[in-house]
Amino acid sequence: MEVVLAIVAAAILAGALAVAATGMRAAAAARRRGASTAAPGAAGGERNALSEVRARAAEQVSQARHAALQARESAMDELNARRAELDASQARLDHVEKVHRERRTAVDERRDAVTQQRAEIDAERAALDEERAQTRHKLEEVAALDRDAAARTVLDRVEAELATDHPGRVTRTIQGRVGELAPSAKELIVHAIQRQDVSHIDSAPRTGPLALEGLSDESRQRLLDSLTAVAQGTSAELGVDPERQQATLRSLDPIGREIARQASLEVLERRLRAEEVPPLLLQTRSALNRKITDLGERAMWEMGIAGRPELAELLGTLHYRFSYGQNALLHCEETGYLCAVLASELRMDATTARHAGVLHDIGKAVDHDVEGSHAIIGGELLTLLGTESGIVHAVKAHHFDEEPSTDLAMLTICADAISASRPGARRDTLTTYLQRLEQLQQIATRHQGVERAFPMQAGREVRISVKPESVSDDRVPELCAEIAREIESEMTYPGMIKVTVIREISATATAS
């Protein structure tokens, strides 16, 4: 670095000297030209010019020396800083090397200790093997039998004991297996529910009333005209509540209901007129169709289903379909997971079971346009789409519209019931819940001889107490079946309702 500084200073000084020499040469040339043309009296002016040139050259040399000194000082400062940084880096490297050396020493010591322990263990194992061989040899000498003969003797004795106890073992095995059937089924169902990790977060929008308060008569009429156009374009029904100042769009078609919801919000926000509604409906329908396709394809990818594009559209439609407040698409995915887990526990094909669970409610995507049970509709749709017959049968039989004849159908029924009955699955309002319990109690208590009725388990079971003097034991099964038939014909409810009729006679006596 010092050599570089010397070179830089020399170069600056040489430049200054070159500038001074150039000035002096220029002055001499001027002097020669002046000597040939000027008068002798101009000699004094030439000497002055030469003095000025020499003064400027001396000044430039002084500046160059000063600049060279400054450059040398700055370079020396930089050199000192780099030397300090290099010393610090070297110190860190020395520390790291020391730490690595210590760690290597510790590893070597531990390796030596492990090697010594392994040698000791091998020596102890060899000693044990030798002692075991000596012990076996002594036992053979004492028993006067070799190892093979002793093994044959023990096996013969065990076989004789097993032959004697064979009938008892068969009886105990049958009793054990028959007694474990119900607990095993419960255990499998509990494990399937615990392993079910699908999200229950329902992001599907729901239709709500539109407020009409605070609007002028003209604005109110314009809004109602626009909502009427929306209702006509989506086959929805417009309801106006004058008391609450609210307007509501209702529709059985889930896609039409969602289009009406989005369009009504757009109309309310932008204050559109009725003639501006048709283009808005076309735009909303196009965007919603794309979203439905994306939702269906995502569901098929997550569940590992391959099929025609129509199947993705049907699954995407279920995102906007609700059953007692439960999102139909989430319910289908949850049922598919449960079916797959139960099938795996039963050594069945988990992929086929998952497909049956996901597709079991596919008929709900079109049941508002086609008459009949959604199970039968879904089975027919899957037949048209080329789905295998086992899955089609499971879909048709999951509500017993068709008699279930396969294990896959029974698994689908079980998984569907678990998904629908888990806590928080269905969002009944308090009013609807109380009305269902009240209707259930009225159906039970209007029969002759019924004393009291107790709805239980959120309306999934009703226990009926009858008067023993009015209802005989022979009449109890008939009354129970009659109440169950009336519940089926008069009520709308998810799942099943268990009816239990209780007839009890008690006698009390006092001995004094």
Side-chain angles (χ1 to χ4, degrees), residues 99-142:
V99 171
H100 287 174
R101 191 181 300 108
E102 292 176 353
R103 290 182 178 178
R104 183 172 181 177
T105 302
V107 170
D108 292 340
E109 291 177 355
R110 185 176 300 177
R111 184 186 297 111
D112 295 339
V114 170
T115 303
Q116 183 178 359
Q117 291 179 358
R118 183 176 298 172
E120 294 176 356
I121 292 174
D122 292 339
E124 292 179 359
R125 182 177 298 172
L128 289 175
D129 292 339
E130 185 178 357
E131 291 180 1
R132 186 180 292 110
Q134 294 177 0
T135 303
R136 185 183 302 111
H137 181 67
K138 289 182 179 179
L139 288 175
E140 291 177 356
E141 290 181 354
V142 171

Side-chain angles (χ1 to χ4, degrees), residues 74-223:
S74 61
M76 289 300 294
D77 293 340
E78 182 180 358
L79 178 61
N80 294 331
R82 292 189 178 183
R83 283 179 176 175
E85 183 179 355
L86 182 61
D87 293 340
S89 301
Q90 185 64 35
R92 287 195 299 270
L93 290 175
D94 294 341
H95 177 70
V96 171
E97 183 180 1
K98 180 180 179 182
V99 171
H100 287 174
R101 191 181 300 108
E102 292 176 353
R103 290 182 178 178
R104 183 172 181 177
T105 302
V107 170
D108 292 340
E109 291 177 355
R110 185 176 300 177
R111 184 186 297 111
D112 295 339
V114 170
T115 303
Q116 183 178 359
Q117 291 179 358
R118 183 176 298 172
E120 294 176 356
I121 292 174
D122 292 339
E124 292 179 359
R125 182 177 298 172
L128 289 175
D129 292 339
E130 185 178 357
E131 291 180 1
R132 186 180 292 110
Q134 294 177 0
T135 303
R136 185 183 302 111
H137 181 67
K138 289 182 179 179
L139 288 175
E140 291 177 356
E141 290 181 354
V142 171
L145 287 175
D146 58 3
R147 183 176 182 180
D148 296 336
R152 286 194 299 271
T153 303
V154 173
L155 289 176
D156 293 340
R157 184 178 300 175
V158 171
E159 288 180 358
E161 293 178 354
L162 292 177
T164 304
D165 192 41
H166 180 70
R169 288 189 296 107
V170 171
T171 302
R172 289 192 298 270
T173 302
I174 294 175
Q175 291 178 352
R177 291 188 177 182
V178 171
E180 291 177 357
L181 286 179
S184 297
K186 292 179 181 178
E187 186 176 356
L188 290 178
I189 292 174
V190 170
H191 288 172
I193 294 174
Q194 291 176 346
R195 292 173 58 186
Q196 203 286 117
D197 61 348
V198 69
S199 175
H200 302 316
I201 300 176
D202 183 8
S203 60
R206 285 165 171 78
T207 304
L210 301 175
L212 302 176
E213 296 179 350
L215 298 177
S216 62
D217 295 339
E218 182 182 358
S219 300
R220 176 190 178 92
Q221 187 60 40
R222 183 174 66 248
L223 177 60

Side-chain angles (χ1 to χ4, degrees), residues 205-207 234 236 249-262 264 288 320-322:
R206 285 165 171 78
T207 304
T234 58
L249 289 169
R250 304 181 183 90
S251 177
L252 296 177
D253 180 10
I255 304 304
R257 182 173 62 246
E258 177 61 17
I259 294 174
R261 185 192 71 83
Q262 295 184 13
S264 62
L288 186 61
Y320 301 98
R321 176 68 157 82
F322 304 97

